[in-house]
Amino acid sequence: MTKLINYLVSLARLQEQPQMNIIPVDASAVVDKAVAGFKNVAANAGHRFEAAVAPAITVMADENYLYELVSILIDNANKYCDPDGTVSVQLAAVKKNAVLTVTNSYAKGAQVNTKRFFERFYRENKARTLSKNAGYGIGLSMAQTIVHNFNGRISAKYAAGRISLVVSLRRVTK
């Protein structure tokens, strides 16, 4: 219950226009740091973990909130990944944007309404809860709020047995 309350407090603070220090941030370094923290978590859950992070991608963001965003997405992918499935993280420069894609294997995903993932407290059903570590339906709502505070976009999609969460943020170019 304490964990749920802490999530709710964090979400409320995010929605109250928190004091963010929006500056150019090395997104590649932030994603690499989050990836390093989750490799063992995924392995312990029996998942393969893949990462492809392009170097030197800079975005306008708050570094701490960007790290929290990436962590939420990777944690979510790991929680809802099929047994013996794969979690993958990719950061790439696409035109004027940095695109972060976090994907996990999910064979039953064709039946899931990905448009509702970002609704607060949304839980698809018990079939979506593949592990005892399943959350409260708050993480992706928090992720969406962080992305919006960075003036970015976030979406979810299902294709070929995999669910992908895609974040697009404006790159800082020289």
Side-chain angles (χ1 to χ4, degrees), residues 20-151:
M20 287 190 175
N21 187 21
I22 306 291
I23 59 172
V25 173
D26 182 347
S28 300
V30 171
V31 173
D32 279 336
K33 180 179 173 184
V35 162
F38 275 94
K39 284 182 179 178
N40 288 335
V41 174
N44 289 338
H47 303 139
R48 287 177 301 285
F49 191 87
E50 303 169 347
V53 179
I57 294 178
T58 302
V59 298
M60 292 299 291
D62 177 288
E63 186 170 350
N64 293 325
Y65 280 105
L66 181 59
Y67 179 81
E68 184 171 356
L69 167 67
V70 177
S71 296
I72 288 169
L73 298 179
I74 297 173
D75 182 54
N76 187 79
N78 190 57
K79 282 180 184 175
Y80 299 110
C81 188
D82 286 332
D84 299 319
T86 301
V87 173
S88 64
V89 178
Q90 180 182 30
L91 179 66
V94 179
K95 298 182 182 176
K96 294 181 179 183
N97 295 317
V99 178
L100 172 67
T101 306
V102 179
T103 302
N104 63 281
S105 306
Y106 190 59
K108 297 179 182 177
Q111 303 157 11
V112 175
N113 183 356
T114 57
K115 293 182 190 311
R116 298 193 62 203
F117 277 10
F118 303 103
E119 292 176 16
R120 191 179 311 175
F121 304 118
Y122 175 70
R123 308 288 303 168
E124 181 68 30
N125 58 35
K126 290 183 182 174
R128 175 95 169 119
T129 307
L130 296 175
S131 79
K132 64 184 177 185
N133 298 322
Y136 303 101
I138 298 172
L140 292 182
S141 180
M142 289 175 67
Q144 182 182 49
T145 301
I146 292 169
V147 170
H148 286 176
N149 285 339
F150 293 164
N151 294 315

